[in-house]
Amino acid sequence: MLASRIHNLKESPVRELLKQIGTPGMISFAGGLPSADCFPELDLAGVKPEKLQYGASEGDLELRNKVADLLTERGVSTDPDRVLILSGSQQGIDLVAKLLIESGTKVAVETPTYLAALQVFDLFGANYAPICPSSIEVSGARLVYTNPTFQNPTGHCYSQQQRHELASACDNSGAVLFEDDPYRDLVYDQCSRTPICSYLRHSEWIYQSSFSKSIAPGLRLGYLTASETLFPHLVRLKQAADLHSCRISQAMITQLLSMENHSYREIASYYKDRRDTFDELLSQMFEDIAVWQIPTGGLFFWLQLKPHLSIDTRTILGKSINNGVAFMPGEYFYPKGIKPVSSLRLNFSNACPNQAAIGLSRLADIIRYEGTKPE
Ligand SMILES: Cc1ncc(COP(=O)(O)O)c(C=O)c1O
């Protein structure tokens, strides 16, 4: 009765975990949740009734104009007619997978990579090859999926040189570059953020970003642009998927982007403080059990456990949740066929510093106990 590909579709551990986060008293380092303190005040009364009518599949022109300006500032060559407003950038992943992946298609990904991209790519039957940061090997891959700026889950940001290397690798191999860039506005330290697609000479490409992390995820809005050959197909796929994205959300984002004092600087400074406090807490509680780097942007710390307590962190998640602490086991972020490293992804933006201290202390105790107890 069911299409055979449905057996490739696994439930998302993140979304399952998100259900637990609402439990009273739960301290969560699990989701990529922006802090509710950073949500904007939106004026719903200012939205015109005409926005209740059906709209264009590409998105409303006022918003596409604004997005085209943002993209041009970043160095991505496009115009409003080549911007597609998405119902969250997760939708872009779905549309691109429908366009380019069939059973057995080789997709090059970072290892680890964004879990919900793997969920979609798996559904369409992808096989995987790793993109190695030092020697970028993409031969044989039809599609290269990258999240180069403050990556989910590792927080890694590609250097200028790594960006050039990946662009040349795509140009040389003919692979399509799919650049996913939702965290770029949450920047705390000087680093390179130029989109890789702006360095391509002839390869086909898709570039996408989102308003979820920098404005509000509940509005469910993202956007993409793509090379001329690919763009019309993506518009048709969007039409077939949901006709168009919510026009009230589009009007709200347009309103916010039009405000004269609109800037992400305040949000970034709020998160930078949270990041620094989190790092201090980690140094007090995790130094003997894990290694990590301070992320220059985004929402996550990525911790690798030291070899003497190499445990699969998926096995301690239940115990941690029973102790009131949710986190994301890093092992979930590895594509099939790649051996996972013993690791944790910790979101630092959601829990307040006091709660973070309590949660990290409990989590470190669990790891120490489970990692050193006799078999
Ligand atoms: C790398 C990456 N891409 C895409 C998304 C999807 O975001 P949204 O659909 O809210 O725009 C996320 C969300 O966490 C993400 O981390």
Side-chain angles (χ1 to χ4, degrees), residues 88-90 93 114 145 147 152 180 182-183 210 212-213 220:
S89 58
Q90 186 65 29
I93 296 173
Y114 174 46
Y145 170 72
N147 174 202
N152 181 1
D180 191 8
Y183 296 97
S210 174
S212 287
K213 311 298 173 180
R220 304 306 305 130

Side-chain angles (χ1 to χ4, degrees), residues 31-33 86-93 113-117 145-147 150-153 180-183 208-213 216-218 220-223 299-300 345:
L33 301 188
L86 301 165
S87 302
S89 58
Q90 186 65 29
Q91 182 175 49
I93 296 173
T113 186
Y114 174 46
L115 183 60
Y145 170 72
T146 178
N147 174 202
F150 318 138
Q151 198 230 17
N152 181 1
D180 191 8
D181 200 12
Y183 296 97
Q208 70 166 21
S209 185
S210 174
F211 296 110
S212 287
K213 311 298 173 180
R220 304 306 305 130
L221 276 196
Y223 52 89
L299 296 177
F300 307 112
R345 188 196 75 176

Side-chain angles (χ1 to χ4, degrees), residues 44-311:
L44 196 52
V47 176
K48 297 202 185 95
E50 70 194 36
K51 297 292 178 194
L52 298 175
Q53 190 50 274
Y54 279 119
S57 294
E58 291 82 349
D60 285 358
L61 185 60
E62 304 96 299
L63 183 56
R64 281 190 285 125
N65 282 333
K66 298 242 171 269
V67 168
D69 290 346
L70 290 176
L71 290 168
T72 310
E73 271 168 36
R74 280 172 213 172
V76 180
S77 121
T78 191
D79 58 59
D81 290 337
R82 220 163 8 110
V83 169
L84 179 63
I85 303 298
L86 301 165
S87 302
S89 58
Q90 186 65 29
Q91 182 175 49
I93 296 173
D94 185 61
L95 303 183
V96 170
K98 283 175 179 159
L99 182 62
L100 295 169
I101 301 178
E102 51 211 336
S103 184
T105 301
K106 180 84 70 72
V107 182
V109 293
E110 282 125 12
T111 52
T113 186
Y114 174 46
L115 183 60
L118 291 177
Q119 190 189 32
V120 179
F121 298 161
D122 282 348
L123 172 64
F124 289 94
N127 287 332
Y128 299 100
I131 305 174
C132 301
S134 49
S135 65
I136 290 159
E137 173 57 68
V138 291
S139 58
R142 180 186 296 176
L143 180 65
V144 175
Y145 170 72
T146 178
N147 174 202
T149 305
F150 318 138
Q151 198 230 17
N152 181 1
T154 60
H156 179 258
C157 185
Y158 278 48
S159 67
Q160 192 80 354
Q161 190 188 338
Q162 286 174 321
R163 286 169 197 264
H164 278 290
E165 278 173 1
L166 185 53
S168 325
C170 290
D171 276 333
N172 294 339
S173 70
V176 176
L177 178 72
F178 180 19
E179 184 167 6
D180 191 8
D181 200 12
Y183 296 97
R184 61 169 298 109
D185 294 315
L186 307 181
V187 53
Y188 318 130
D189 302 314
Q190 185 69 33
C191 55
S192 170
R193 289 183 298 151
T194 309
I196 297 176
C197 61
S198 68
Y199 297 134
L200 289 173
R201 280 171 287 117
H202 40 252
S203 219
E204 302 289 341
W205 55 275
I206 302 114
Y207 172 90
Q208 70 166 21
S209 185
S210 174
F211 296 110
S212 287
K213 311 298 173 180
S214 49
I215 297 186
L219 292 175
R220 304 306 305 130
L221 276 196
Y223 52 89
L224 69 69
T225 182
S227 51
E228 276 171 30
T229 320
L230 300 183
F231 186 77
H233 296 290
L234 291 162
V235 174
R236 269 175 245 145
L237 283 162
K238 164 84 183 168
Q239 282 167 358
D242 67 351
L243 306 184
H244 65 78
S245 297
C246 171
R247 296 188 71 203
I248 298 179
S249 293
Q250 293 187 60
M252 293 194 153
I253 299 273
T254 310
Q255 198 186 86
L256 266 168
L257 297 178
S258 311
M259 280 160 55
E260 246 167 49
N261 58 357
H262 173 74
S263 136
Y264 298 119
R265 231 172 277 147
E266 255 175 56
I267 297 177
S269 123
Y270 180 97
Y271 286 145
K272 185 178 200 280
D273 286 349
R274 286 226 161 157
R275 177 202 66 174
D276 292 342
T277 310
F278 207 88
D279 181 52
E280 279 163 29
L281 293 169
L282 285 174
S283 301
Q284 288 161 24
M285 299 173 199
F286 276 74
E287 215 144 55
D288 57 322
I289 51 178
V291 289
W292 65 92
Q293 288 188 336
I294 301 175
T296 50
L299 296 177
F300 307 112
F301 274 85
W302 176 253
L303 273 63
Q304 292 196 359
L305 295 188
K306 292 196 171 169
H308 71 280
L309 19 77
S310 246
I311 42 177

